Amino acid sequence: QLQGFASSKVSVLIDRENKLHLNGKEIGQSQLAKGVGEILGSTPQGDRTVLLKVHKDATALYYEAVIEAISEAGGDLVHVLEEKL
């Protein structure tokens, strides 16, 4: 249920090949913090929600760096889990 997060300006996706996407566009890991920060801009604390969806096969080493970049940019992380089918 993402109803409470519908107003999120930022979404980050790590796909099955460990490719990173910021608001639907592929981005390099080194540009993530800057990209998130630019989108959030001067958004007040409490409204800086960043939705993070990580493919179940993504490696921890990779997504831990992504979490760190979101935090560095001042985003409030919400991890979206994939539903098991």
Side-chain angles (χ1 to χ4, degrees):
Q1 296 282 344
L2 296 177
Q3 293 169 342
F5 304 107
S7 64
S8 174
K9 292 181 177 185
V10 185
S11 67
V12 177
L13 167 71
I14 302 173
D15 67 17
R16 75 171 359 134
E17 287 128 20
N18 284 330
K19 290 184 182 171
L20 189 59
H21 303 268
L22 175 61
N23 284 357
K25 296 181 181 175
E26 194 170 332
I27 187 171
Q29 187 173 332
S30 61
Q31 290 95 28
L32 183 61
K34 181 180 179 196
V36 170
E38 287 174 355
I39 295 168
L40 291 175
S42 61
T43 304
Q45 205 62 31
D47 291 329
R48 299 176 67 84
T49 303
V50 177
L51 301 180
L52 172 63
K53 185 171 182 180
V54 180
H55 188 274
K56 63 183 175 64
D57 296 331
T59 60
L61 184 65
Y62 189 77
Y63 69 76
E64 286 172 355
V66 170
I67 291 169
E68 187 175 310
I70 292 169
S71 177
E72 180 184 317
D76 299 323
L77 180 70
V78 175
H79 186 189
V80 180
L81 300 174
E82 283 189 282
E83 290 185 30
K84 296 190 178 188
L85 301 175

